[in-house]
Amino acid sequence: MEDNMGYSNVGHVYGLASEGRLTKPRGGKTTLNTMALNVLTYMSYSTYDWPPTDKIRRLGLPCRYYALGWRSIAEHFGMMLLSDEQTSDPDADADAMMDARTATARSRITQAWRYLRDQNLIKELQPASLGKNAGYLLLLGDDEENNEVEDWARECLGLPWRK
């Protein structure tokens, strides 16, 4: 990952959070959806900022486009680690525990993506296929900027133009 890649994107995420775009109802009140915030922050930090630099333009790299998958997020968040007690228990089935941790991590990240899609903060540009992660466009700006970011990403990725 390049130095400062996604630095500006992360600032946009915090701006969206301050506008209430990452809240959810809870017990008759609203609260911050911390999992969605963490996932979107990670995705933002892992993508090129908008607007693209001359180098990014020259290389034809999409900005605000995340395709590292759920596993990258889970690993960076330590979501699939077992506790010391779990690893030291001789009677424990480590494989079963790892499978359970992995399933939980995947489920939580998938739920965060669903929430972010519902909030119109991410958009799937490329679906997952065998051996390939889905590709998500981060919608961190206003409608005009998001359209420009999407047009650039589609051009870079060789995808059909928006309808």
Side-chain angles (χ1 to χ4, degrees):
M1 191 178 315
E2 287 187 17
D3 290 337
N4 295 326
M5 186 169 96
Y7 180 78
S8 176
N9 290 341
V10 172
H12 286 287
V13 170
Y14 294 140
L16 294 166
S18 72
E19 294 170 8
R21 299 276 308 273
L22 289 159
T23 59
K24 63 181 180 179
R26 184 175 183 193
K29 299 177 183 176
T30 59
T31 187
L32 180 66
N33 186 332
T34 55
M35 186 64 181
L37 172 64
N38 287 330
V39 167
L40 187 58
T41 300
Y42 179 83
M43 293 169 75
S44 297
Y45 184 74
S46 302
T47 62
Y48 294 109
D49 283 324
W50 180 263
T53 63
D54 289 340
K55 181 180 179 182
I56 298 300
R57 283 192 185 280
R58 212 173 33 256
L59 295 173
L61 300 172
C63 297
R64 295 184 182 164
Y65 181 76
Y66 179 83
L68 296 177
W70 68 268
R71 187 174 294 278
S72 180
I73 297 168
E75 288 172 353
H76 279 90
F77 288 1
M79 295 174 75
M80 297 186 300
L81 299 176
L82 297 176
S83 70
D84 290 341
E85 290 123 12
Q86 290 172 312
T87 57
S88 64
D89 183 356
D91 296 326
D93 183 350
D95 289 338
M97 287 187 289
M98 277 305 300
D99 289 346
R101 295 286 297 173
T102 300
T104 299
R106 183 177 187 169
S107 174
R108 291 187 65 207
I109 293 165
T110 301
Q111 288 173 10
W113 281 341
R114 188 174 306 115
Y115 171 85
L116 293 168
R117 274 194 306 266
D118 292 347
Q119 294 297 108
N120 201 36
L121 295 173
I122 63 172
K123 178 180 183 178
E124 185 178 285
L125 289 188
Q126 293 186 300
S129 59
L130 190 59
K132 184 179 174 206
N133 295 320
Y136 294 100
L137 185 70
L138 309 183
L139 305 173
L140 307 177
D142 59 22
D143 289 342
E144 182 179 341
E145 181 176 277
N146 289 337
N147 288 336
E148 290 175 24
V149 174
E150 183 173 350
D151 288 345
W152 173 250
R154 287 181 176 280
E155 181 179 328
C156 293
L157 298 166
L159 297 176
W161 294 103
R162 286 181 290 119
K163 296 176 185 174

